[in-house]
Amino acid sequence: MSVTVRIPTPLRTATGGDATAVVEGGNVAEVVAALDRAHPGIGDRLLDEGGKLRRFLNVYVDDEDVRFAGGLDAPVPDGATVSIIPAVAGG
Amino acid sequence: MLKTDTVGTVQGLRCRECGRSYAATAQHVCEFCFGPLEVAYDREAQAARATRAAIEAGPASLWRYAPLLPVLRDDPADRVDLGAGWTPLVPAPRLGAALGLDDLWLKNDTVNPSFSFKDRVVSVALTAARALGFSTAACASTGNLAHSVAAHAAKAGMDNYVFVPADLEAAKIVATAVYGPNVVAVRGSYDDVNRLCSEVAGEEPWAFVNINLRPYYAEGSKTLGFEIAEQLGWRLPDHVVAPMASGSMLVKIDKAFRELADLGLVADRPWRISGAQATGCSPITTAFKDGTGAIRPVRPTTIAKSLAIGSPADGPYALDAVARTGGAMEDAADPEIVDAIRLLARTEGILAETAGGVTIACLRRLAAAGRIARGERTVAVISGMGLKTLDALAGEVGPTWEVGPGLDEFRAAVSGPAQEVHP
């Protein structure tokens, strides 16, 4: 169950500058845990004190926003790309 | 990371969530908690420079408030300036009579250089971008921002890439493309466009006004609040009603009033601020109404495309500002939005785009529900102009009569009922 995680610029200080990481995991929670094992400390930056995804983060599994798909429980298929994207203002 | 020495009144950037400090660079989120970064100012330097007299002697544009804006290089010649801001604040007695409001005013931001309030944020953002050394501008947009970036980048001679949903109103795409930008039409929603741009912003050395330049960009919306207060004779209104997409504009109007009061430029008195969305994209008003404060993203389906942001980044702060000031939130369905565009036009002579229809339709709902008292001095923000969204009026209005060029035919027609010839 190998997935590719795309790391946004502000998080690359936690990955030694790497823009992607390849980890194992069958859902978003497992992917976050695997990322934290590969890059200790990254979990604290993705999850708030209550263990939920931080409110200014958007996480996508392929093209699906995980908030429409179960949040941390959202399934992550083998070979998927997980994108972590800070929320932006707009219009 | 590009950076510059700070001048003027800017101290740096600060995380709105956790308070960590950063230098004044092109960076928009906290590296630790991903909270949005905000510009931090030297309040004493601001107080020394931003006097009523100095502001009143300034240009008839948003740059009269330069000491209160994130200016990184303090030479007016370096500004990217098409003359945005200092738009009319007009009393609206005829609309007020229709809605049961005795002291209603309209902030008419349809008359900005590219015909929406986005010129405020873009002028500030691209001025900062130049000071930070960028030569290419970019944005993710629901239309108005792209239009404004293309216009300001043309004036500044900057390369630019504007990303928009491919299903945008044709008028907005054409009105943007004419300035010569690279228009990237993305097959997807605005939230998809944003996602793509967030990833592009990590790869390209571009000034994305609403991404890496967002701390500077967002501050530009404060000038709406500054102008409203100054134009009311350096007095705060009782109530402001603002449209919400990401929620940033509403938050910054509230911040502007706080800053003016803290600087002693206006008497510190309570104000209320209320937010308006289209029912077809109402993640913020839904969170307000259900009382949870939890914003669940939505997939937008509304004619108010300029407000169609399903995942509103500043929604939590908009909820905070409305709750703290005792305001309210409403949303209006597409037919109400069209009715409100027509009501505004025929009572006050202002042709607003769909976002203005949202604001007026929600103003009507708030007044009818007693959330705005009849006597409150209320300002509604009309954020963009209606020629951009004529599609919304297709089949709604048209010639009253169609006649041949003969006088008899004309007289016969006007003595009878309207034919209502709708294109």
Side-chain angles (χ1 to χ4, degrees), chain B residues 273-299:
Chain B
I273 189 153
S274 292
Q277 292 203 294
T279 304
C281 181
S282 52
I284 311 177
T285 63
T286 299
F288 178 83
K289 289 177 180 177
D290 71 18
T292 63
I295 292 174
R296 280 182 297 279
V298 300
R299 294 197 168 88

Side-chain angles (χ1 to χ4, degrees), chain B residues 41-113:
Chain B
Y41 296 95
D42 177 341
R43 189 51 58 83
E44 284 184 18
Q46 284 187 317
R49 294 179 53 189
T51 63
R52 286 188 188 180
I55 291 167
E56 287 167 358
S61 76
L62 64 88
W63 290 105
R64 65 205 282 112
Y65 307 105
L68 306 179
L69 295 173
V71 175
L72 300 177
R73 210 159 58 193
D74 219 4
D75 181 350
D78 288 335
R79 291 172 188 158
V80 180
D81 183 14
L82 288 171
W86 201 240
T87 58
L89 178 73
V90 292
R94 283 167 45 75
L95 177 61
L99 303 184
L101 297 171
D102 289 341
D103 196 7
L104 177 63
W105 298 68
L106 301 173
K107 184 61 171 162
N108 182 7
D109 250 26
T110 71
V111 299
N112 275 303

Side-chain angles (χ1 to χ4, degrees), chain B residues 30-399:
Chain B
C30 176
E31 286 179 3
F32 182 76
C33 76
F34 296 95
L37 299 185
E38 279 202 317
V39 177
Y41 296 95
D42 177 341
R43 189 51 58 83
E44 284 184 18
Q46 284 187 317
R49 294 179 53 189
T51 63
R52 286 188 188 180
I55 291 167
E56 287 167 358
S61 76
L62 64 88
W63 290 105
R64 65 205 282 112
Y65 307 105
L68 306 179
L69 295 173
V71 175
L72 300 177
R73 210 159 58 193
D74 219 4
D75 181 350
D78 288 335
R79 291 172 188 158
V80 180
D81 183 14
L82 288 171
W86 201 240
T87 58
L89 178 73
V90 292
R94 283 167 45 75
L95 177 61
L99 303 184
L101 297 171
D102 289 341
D103 196 7
L104 177 63
W105 298 68
L106 301 173
K107 184 61 171 162
N108 182 7
D109 250 26
T110 71
V111 299
N112 275 303
S114 78
F115 317 106
S116 85
F117 92 102
K118 290 296 183 187
D119 290 329
R120 300 175 180 276
V121 287
V122 170
S123 183
V124 172
L126 290 190
T127 297
R130 282 221 294 211
L132 290 165
F134 287 98
S135 56
T136 301
C139 69
S141 177
T142 56
N144 286 326
L145 183 58
H147 190 173
S148 184
V149 165
H152 283 85
K155 170 73 172 169
M158 297 174 80
D159 286 341
N160 64 109
Y161 290 79
V162 301
F163 295 71
V164 295
D167 71 348
L168 206 58
E169 297 97 336
K172 282 186 180 158
I173 291 187
V174 172
T176 298
V178 72
Y179 298 101
N182 299 288
V183 180
V184 184
V186 180
R187 288 187 297 274
S189 67
Y190 174 75
D191 298 289
D192 295 321
V193 176
N194 239 341
R195 176 194 161 188
L196 170 62
C197 288
S198 292
E199 300 206 71
V200 174
E203 309 298 320
E204 301 288 344
W206 297 348
F208 271 90
V209 295
N210 60 320
I211 303 178
N212 50 345
L213 271 290
R214 168 176 155 181
Y216 309 94
Y217 161 96
E219 287 287 283
S221 289
K222 290 192 310 188
T223 59
L224 273 167
F226 296 153
E227 289 176 19
I228 288 168
E230 184 180 351
Q231 288 169 319
L232 289 173
W234 293 107
R235 274 188 287 273
L236 299 179
D238 296 317
H239 210 136
V240 172
V241 179
M244 299 187 297
S246 73
S248 177
M249 180 219 282
L250 180 147
V251 169
K252 291 295 180 173
I253 291 172
D254 176 65
K255 185 180 185 212
F257 290 169
R258 180 76 264 149
E259 289 184 2
L260 291 178
D262 287 349
L263 289 163
L265 290 166
V266 298
D268 193 352
R269 58 184 296 285
W271 65 87
R272 300 204 286 164
I273 189 153
S274 292
Q277 292 203 294
T279 304
C281 181
S282 52
I284 311 177
T285 63
T286 299
F288 178 83
K289 289 177 180 177
D290 71 18
T292 63
I295 292 174
R296 280 182 297 279
V298 300
R299 294 197 168 88
T301 51
T302 172
I303 58 169
K305 292 181 181 175
S306 59
L307 301 181
I309 297 182
S311 181
D314 285 296
Y317 299 129
L319 287 166
D320 290 348
V322 167
R324 175 171 40 75
T325 63
M329 289 194 183
E330 257 305 348
D331 49 82
D334 286 357
E336 292 176 75
I337 295 168
V338 173
D339 277 352
I341 291 171
R342 297 179 63 181
L343 175 65
L344 173 65
R346 72 173 179 265
T347 55
E348 296 297 339
I350 294 175
L351 176 56
E353 68 141 312
T354 45
V358 168
T359 302
I360 298 303
C362 291
L363 176 71
R364 173 149 67 181
R365 281 176 165 265
L366 292 167
R371 305 302 292 263
I372 301 175
R374 175 175 276 277
E376 278 187 276
R377 171 162 285 182
T378 301
V379 178
V381 178
I382 308 301
S383 53
M385 96 104 79
L387 288 177
K388 292 174 181 242
T389 60
L390 282 183
D391 301 8
L393 296 172
E396 291 288 327
V397 291

Side-chain angles (χ1 to χ4, degrees), chain A residues 6 8-13 19 44-46 54-58 60 62-65 67-68 83-91, chain B residues 17 29 31-34 36 118 141-143 145 190 194-195 198-199 202-203 210-211 214 217 246 297 299 309 311 313-314 316-317:
Chain A
R6 296 179 58 81
T9 313
L11 202 56
R12 291 180 194 167
T13 51
D44 283 345
R45 296 171 63 181
L46 297 174
R54 288 189 182 272
R55 65 176 179 168
F56 290 100
L57 270 185
N58 298 318
Y60 298 84
D62 292 326
D63 282 332
E64 186 73 14
D65 185 331
R67 287 171 299 190
F68 293 113
S83 301
I84 301 169
I85 296 173
V88 299
Chain B
E17 291 288 297
V29 294
E31 286 179 3
F32 182 76
C33 76
F34 296 95
K118 290 296 183 187
S141 177
T142 56
L145 183 58
Y190 174 75
N194 239 341
R195 176 194 161 188
S198 292
E199 300 206 71
E203 309 298 320
N210 60 320
I211 303 178
R214 168 176 155 181
Y217 161 96
S246 73
R299 294 197 168 88
I309 297 182
S311 181
D314 285 296
Y317 299 129

